[in-house]
């Protein structure tokens, strides 16, 4: 299963990197700016889906996906929900954004 990392710049300027065991995070996020509450909801949904894919494939939960989700929630608590967080990079990138991510990014702008 391909894995990926997500690099985020929080409103206080701190850069953090988070791990996902699946590229499915691309269906929930794209590089760009999000409100903290929106980013947290999307990232945690993507990581939950990634963890479910690991469980379906290997028969056990992915503790790394759960840890990333927990870290994002903890980091988000340091900022107002309406502050802006930037998804700096998603690696590896998709060659083309998924239709769902493109639609969501247009709605977030």
């Amino acid at each position: 299963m391909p894995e990926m990392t997500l690099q985020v710049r929080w409103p206080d300027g701190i850069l953090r990197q988070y791990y996902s065991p699946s590229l499915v995070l691309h269906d929930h996020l794209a590089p760009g700016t999000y409100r903290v509450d929106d980013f947290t909801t999307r990232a945690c949904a993507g990581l939950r889906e990634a963890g479910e894919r690991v469980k379906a494939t290997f028969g056990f939960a992915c503790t790394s996906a759960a840890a990333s989700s927990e870290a994002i929630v903890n980091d988000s608590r340091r900022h107002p929900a309406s502050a802006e967080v930037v998804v700096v990079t998603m690696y590896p990138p998709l060659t083309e954004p998924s239709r769902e991510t493109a639609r969501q990014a247009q709605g977030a702008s």
Side-chain angles (χ1 to χ4, degrees):
M1 182 170 291
E3 56 190 26
M4 67 176 299
T5 57
L6 172 72
Q7 186 179 48
V8 173
R9 180 179 301 109
W10 289 97
D12 57 7
I14 292 177
L15 281 172
R16 290 286 310 259
Q17 189 166 297
Y18 305 98
Y19 168 84
S20 172
S22 168
L23 298 178
V24 73
L25 216 48
H26 283 290
D27 292 344
H28 298 268
L29 293 165
T33 303
Y34 298 85
R35 284 175 44 119
V36 168
D37 56 352
D38 184 37
F39 167 75
T40 303
T41 299
R42 289 173 185 244
C44 290
L47 288 163
R48 199 168 28 257
E49 188 175 341
E52 290 168 6
R53 287 182 177 203
V54 169
K55 187 172 186 174
T57 301
F58 299 107
F60 54 85
C62 178
T63 57
S64 294
S68 289
S69 185
E70 184 178 342
I72 287 169
V73 168
N74 288 337
D75 289 342
S76 73
R77 289 183 179 142
R78 294 190 329 262
H79 310 286
S82 61
E84 292 185 338
V85 59
V86 178
V87 175
V88 178
T89 60
M90 297 178 76
Y91 186 82
L94 291 180
T95 54
E96 292 182 27
S98 72
R99 280 185 244 143
E100 181 64 15
T101 302
R103 183 188 66 74
Q104 289 174 352
Q106 288 176 347
S109 300

